[in-house]
Amino acid sequence: MHIGKAIRLERIFNRNTHRTIIVPMDHGVTVGPIAGLEKMRDTVTNLVAGGANAGLVHKGQVKLGHRMQGRDFGCIVHLSAGTCLSPFPNVKRLVTTVEEAIRLGADGVSVHVNLGDETEGQMLSDLGSVAASASEWGMPLLAMVYARGPKVSDEYAPDVVAHCARVGAELGADVVKVNYPGDADSFAKVVECACVPVVIAGGAKLDSTRDFLDMVRVSIDAGGAGLSVGRNVFQHADPTRLVEVLNRIVHMGMTVDESLEGYEDIL
């Protein structure tokens, strides 16, 4: 591996466990300034205090989340965007480049692809182009790949999720982010077929913190490399303590019950 890429990956992944807790905070473009993202610097401070490994943001939020003090925090710059106000909300277009992300001090970049959309071909082309540029610069690439389109009846179906993961890997991603298909056996097959580290998405905010923690634990047991979850983390009543519990699960190997000892109030 390119030494620059290896070094940057260690700013995103724990170098001892080879797992990660990534918190995406790119929602402001997609759905607006939702709860938890009103003051980016405060949000980042809370996540860092809990021990999150990295955050994922659009280019304009890099400076807003820069704290100039405290522990370091991996920075992933998201290169693609689209809004819920568009008549084509599943379309994601590139809005910046690997080179600009490097100038911003990024440790990695990410691209979003929705398989099944009418513009799938352009999104796949963009992913391939970004992968080539990222490889040239030694920049880790995270591909968020989902199945969303008129032919997709269930984006969480195991074979569909496995297809998404494989597309990201085949087109050059170093890490792929996909939906959790719902059970350990199905996700284990996704991980096995991906051939690169796989992290789970969180989707819409869950009603139960316990359900979220159970999902994370099962995904780790099935071979997952961690999580890339936004709303279920930064919209929690106490994001710092929640991330501390996630650290116990992801990096310390604790069960959910063990991880909650002394943290029962977060449920």
Side-chain angles (χ1 to χ4, degrees):
M1 181 184 291
H2 189 295
I3 185 61
K5 180 175 287 189
I7 289 171
R8 292 183 179 98
L9 276 170
E10 288 184 3
R11 298 178 188 145
I12 298 170
F13 281 74
N14 182 304
R15 63 171 58 174
N16 297 315
T17 66
H18 306 292
R19 296 174 183 156
T20 186
I21 299 170
I22 300 170
V23 183
M25 295 169 280
D26 57 315
H27 304 66
V29 169
T30 309
V31 294
I34 59 176
L37 296 182
E38 300 94 339
K39 297 180 179 180
M40 186 62 68
R41 191 169 288 114
D42 291 346
T43 300
V44 172
T45 297
N46 291 334
L47 298 174
V48 172
N53 297 100
L56 185 151
V57 296
H58 281 292
K59 60 181 181 178
Q61 292 284 16
V62 173
K63 61 181 178 293
L64 298 180
H66 183 52
R67 295 161 296 119
M68 297 171 283
Q69 61 183 352
R71 189 177 66 83
D72 199 8
F73 187 56
C75 176
I76 302 171
V77 172
H78 197 37
L79 306 188
S80 52
T83 80
C84 64
L85 302 177
S86 168
F88 309 104
N90 288 330
V91 178
K92 302 295 179 178
R93 300 293 190 191
L94 293 181
V95 292
T96 187
T97 64
V98 173
E99 291 79 7
E100 184 173 13
I102 291 171
R103 289 194 292 272
L104 289 168
D107 302 302
V109 294
S110 62
V111 174
H112 185 145
V113 174
N114 287 320
L115 299 183
D117 184 78
E118 290 86 344
T119 59
E120 172 192 284
Q122 182 61 54
M123 287 185 275
L124 292 176
S125 177
D126 288 344
L127 175 58
S129 297
V130 168
S133 181
S135 178
E136 180 180 357
W137 288 103
M139 178 65 75
L141 170 61
L142 166 67
M144 310 177 183
V145 189
Y146 308 106
R148 296 170 180 171
K151 293 176 63 177
V152 180
S153 59
D154 181 6
E155 66 175 291
Y156 297 92
D159 60 332
V160 173
V161 175
H163 192 174
C164 290
R166 189 57 178 257
V167 166
E170 295 232 5
L171 293 185
D174 300 290
V175 185
V176 293
K177 171 182 175 177
V178 295
N179 287 322
Y180 177 65
D183 64 83
D185 289 343
S186 296
F187 189 62
K189 293 177 182 176
V190 171
V191 171
E192 181 181 7
C193 293
C195 307
V196 298
V198 180
V199 295
I200 60 169
K205 190 174 187 305
L206 298 172
D207 293 330
S208 166
T209 298
R210 176 70 193 227
D211 288 347
F212 169 52
L213 296 175
D214 285 337
M215 178 178 72
V216 172
R217 178 68 265 170
V218 173
S219 75
I220 294 295
D221 290 340
L227 61 145
S228 177
V229 173
R231 285 167 289 187
N232 282 292
V233 175
F234 64 70
Q235 288 188 337
H236 190 273
D238 194 337
T240 298
R241 286 171 62 78
L242 175 62
V243 174
E244 289 173 352
V245 171
L246 288 170
N247 260 287
R248 289 179 161 195
I249 294 172
V250 174
H251 296 308
M252 299 174 66
M254 292 187 182
T255 66
V256 173
D257 287 336
E258 290 170 341
S259 72
L260 285 169
E261 291 181 6
Y263 289 84
E264 294 83 358
D265 57 310
I266 72 167
L267 295 177

